[in-house]
Amino acid sequence: MFNQMKKILNHFPKIKKIIKDIISLLYIITSHGRKKSYGNIIKISPDDGYEYFFGYYDKSPWDSTGRYILCLKAKCTYKSAAPADEAKIVMFDTYNHTTIELGTTHTWNTQQGCMLQWLGPDFHTKIIYNDFINSQYCSVIMDINTRKKNILNMPVYSVSDSGKFALSLDFSRLHRLRPGYGYSNLKDKTEGELLPDKACIWKINLEDGSIEEILRYKDFYNLDTREDMKNAEHKVNHIMINPTGDRFMVLHRWLKNEKKYTRLVTCNIDGSDMYNLSDDNFVSHCCWKNDREILAYERKNNTDGFYLMKDQTQKYKHMWDFIIEDGHPTYSPDKKNIVADTYPDKRRMSQIYLLNEKNQCEKKVIAKVYSPFKYYDEFRCDLHPRWSREGNKICFDGVFEGKRALYYVNIKTKE
């Protein structure tokens, strides 16, 4: 009976959402005073009235020494998915327990911040982040010792480990179609165009600042065109460059009659050799295990779960088939373990847990935290767990103390 009702509600997502929200509110009302966090959780950010968070799960906030942690500092992160207010770029010195302000950004969002990160190959002396200067989006490379800046004429989305190049996309179109992931400073020039005859992915040379167009929306449309792509609105999101920097993956999404379709496409860095890796309507969060394998939460044969795929083939393996909840996965630096999280359950509790490829029947929960309704929908606070570079800590964003803040958990992993 329950499964039949669930299948019916899947055809009416708005009604399903209302029912879930009512159930959550009832649980919250009846669970007053219940503990809001579990685990060996250590707070990084200060209690100064501001909100702190790092951003997405595909990068580490720690520098290569493990001493410094990057973060964004903002007044409010629950009223706008891409706020007009500036955010401070700060660095925590974990040895001296001090907070160092490095600068500001005028373009950021609640899910991925301003793409703030350490720049390779040393991940210690320079940072890179996006900003809005002279009425245009840009990216900034800053030397943290001298504070000298190099301003590039396009924002970055995914940065190569080598620190030599990055890939970018249309942040204004992304914001209009997916609030919380793009930027709102500039109006989307492609609004009203279902399939723009324009570039959608660019390559930025971080050494000389040159920019080249590598893919257009029509390139994705022309790759194994499906009937439901016609007269649909297209976008791209979630670019991730592989460790060596010779290929990248990207989600191609199209919207039609209020239904969303997603597939995972991989390409050479110059946009050539496009490959339709996963095309079963639903692909969510992914990560590179190595240069040729990708772990993704997606749909295969009408079954959602984590799948390990081999790039440029149709070979895949269903991993940990008991896990049926979406999450943000990342491999540990030694590739032996995976960290992932869950969205809030009916009690508004989320989990962070560890997986090991050698044990396909077990997950180890290392933290549980509460998420108040103030942080909801595009203002939500996904935990986005991130490994330290040594692989002994997990950093995450949380709101269980009433404000968005940065935390970590010490862990012991299985070999």
Side-chain angles (χ1 to χ4, degrees):
M1 180 68 177
F2 175 78
N3 288 332
Q4 284 181 320
M5 183 63 70
K6 187 176 180 181
K7 287 181 180 180
I8 293 171
L9 287 174
N10 284 336
H11 294 287
F12 303 96
K14 291 182 179 179
I15 296 175
K16 180 181 178 181
K17 180 177 178 299
I18 292 171
I19 293 173
K20 287 178 67 176
D21 291 350
I22 292 172
I23 293 172
S24 291
L25 282 169
L26 290 173
Y27 270 106
I28 291 169
I29 292 169
T30 58
S31 62
H32 181 70
R34 186 173 292 172
K35 191 174 179 182
K36 295 183 178 180
S37 66
Y38 301 84
N40 182 25
I41 300 171
I42 300 167
K43 193 170 187 178
I44 302 171
S45 53
D47 294 314
D48 58 3
Y50 283 86
E51 298 198 85
Y52 292 84
F53 73 109
F54 176 66
Y56 219 41
Y57 70 99
D58 61 339
K59 52 187 74 72
S60 176
W62 278 278
D63 77 328
S64 56
T65 70
R67 176 173 179 173
Y68 298 105
I69 297 174
L70 294 175
C71 191
L72 280 184
K73 173 182 177 180
K75 291 180 180 178
C76 179
T77 66
Y78 54 84
K79 291 184 178 179
S80 173
D85 295 337
E86 69 177 24
K88 299 288 186 182
I89 294 169
V90 301
M91 179 174 69
F92 300 122
D93 183 337
T94 62
Y95 290 6
N96 298 327
H97 303 288
T98 56
T99 303
I100 304 164
E101 288 197 4
L102 298 175
T104 59
T105 178
H106 303 85
T107 190
W108 55 283
N109 57 59
T110 53
Q111 294 304 309
Q112 298 180 323
C114 61
M115 296 300 181
L116 172 66
Q117 59 196 283
W118 295 98
L119 188 64
D122 68 351
F123 301 100
H124 175 62
T125 57
K126 294 180 180 180
I127 63 172
I128 187 169
Y129 59 93
N130 292 336
D131 203 350
F132 187 70
I133 301 174
N134 296 326
S135 299
Q136 72 173 37
Y137 298 132
C138 62
S139 52
V140 179
I141 297 176
M142 176 192 288
D143 186 306
I144 63 168
N145 296 311
T146 65
R147 306 294 171 87
K148 182 179 178 180
K149 298 179 181 179
N150 180 24
I151 300 174
L152 307 175
N153 292 327
M154 181 166 277
V156 297
Y157 193 98
S158 182
V159 181
S160 67
D161 286 348
S162 68
K164 293 183 178 181
F165 71 90
L167 298 179
S168 188
L169 48 67
D170 187 340
F171 282 91
S172 292
R173 184 176 179 86
L174 183 58
H175 170 69
R176 181 175 62 82
L177 295 174
R178 189 71 167 98
Y181 292 85
Y183 304 141
S184 61
N185 307 69
L186 297 175
K187 182 178 173 58
D188 175 18
K189 294 180 180 180
T190 68
E191 187 172 1
E193 299 178 57
L194 298 180
L195 183 66
D197 187 15
K198 294 178 175 69
C200 62
I201 298 180
W202 295 262
K203 181 182 178 184
I204 309 168
N205 186 316
L206 300 180
E207 297 177 317
D208 64 16
S210 61
I211 299 167
E212 61 178 307
E213 168 189 319
I214 62 171
L215 285 171
R216 301 172 76 82
Y217 290 102
K218 287 190 175 180
D219 292 326
F220 287 92
Y221 179 86
N222 292 331
L223 176 67
D224 299 337
T225 306
R226 293 171 33 166
E227 187 64 29
D228 47 44
M229 290 182 186
K230 299 174 183 177
N231 299 314
E233 191 164 25
H234 295 256
K235 66 175 180 177
V236 295
N237 196 9
H238 298 307
I239 302 170
M240 291 184 180
I241 301 170
N242 72 359
T244 298
D246 64 342
R247 283 181 72 78
F248 69 94
M249 62 172 147
V250 58
L251 296 186
H252 171 211
R253 283 180 168 152
W254 59 99
L255 310 168
K256 188 174 183 179
N257 299 328
E258 297 188 357
K259 187 172 182 180
K260 180 174 71 175
Y261 303 86
T262 306
R263 64 178 178 175
L264 180 62
V265 176
T266 61
C267 311
N268 288 336
I269 289 299
D270 62 2
S272 64
D273 206 5
M274 295 178 74
Y275 188 79
N276 185 5
L277 185 62
S278 188
D279 195 9
D280 293 326
N281 294 336
F282 172 73
V283 184
S284 185
H285 302 103
C286 314
C287 68
W288 289 97
K289 178 183 179 181
N290 49 52
D291 285 329
R292 294 296 174 260
E293 291 180 291
I294 294 171
L295 180 67
Y297 190 87
E298 60 183 353
R299 183 168 301 143
K300 295 285 190 185
N301 301 318
N302 294 316
T303 301
D304 295 351
F306 282 116
Y307 292 86
L308 186 63
M309 298 173 286
K310 187 174 182 181
D311 189 17
Q312 295 180 283
T313 76
Q314 290 301 302
K315 297 178 180 178
Y316 62 87
K317 180 181 179 182
H318 192 179
M319 310 290 285
W320 313 288
D321 58 10
F322 63 95
I323 294 180
I324 56 174
E325 293 180 90
D326 193 2
H328 304 86
T330 311
Y331 278 87
S332 59
D334 62 8
K335 309 300 181 184
K336 293 179 179 179
N337 297 278
I338 298 93
V339 68
D341 59 353
T342 66
Y343 289 107
D345 61 16
K346 55 193 174 185
R347 293 178 174 83
R348 301 292 297 163
M349 297 295 291
S350 302
Q351 297 181 0
I352 298 176
Y353 61 90
L354 297 176
L355 300 168
N356 187 289
E357 285 192 1
K358 292 182 179 179
N359 187 340
Q360 291 290 311
C361 301
E362 179 185 347
K363 75 173 185 179
K364 178 183 178 182
V365 177
I366 59 173
K368 292 183 182 180
V369 294
Y370 175 74
S371 181
F373 259 111
K374 181 170 69 173
Y375 298 90
Y376 193 64
D377 277 352
E378 62 260 37
F379 314 123
R380 70 188 182 279
C381 181
D382 292 348
L383 304 183
H384 291 156
R386 303 163 288 254
W387 291 94
S388 65
R389 299 187 190 274
E390 297 85 358
N392 60 351
K393 298 182 180 71
I394 299 293
C395 172
F396 69 96
D397 303 328
V399 289
F400 59 92
E401 292 184 300
K403 285 186 176 293
R404 207 177 294 248
L406 202 65
Y407 304 87
Y408 75 87
V409 179
N410 283 311
I411 59 168
K412 292 182 180 180
T413 58
K414 295 181 180 179
E415 293 298 322

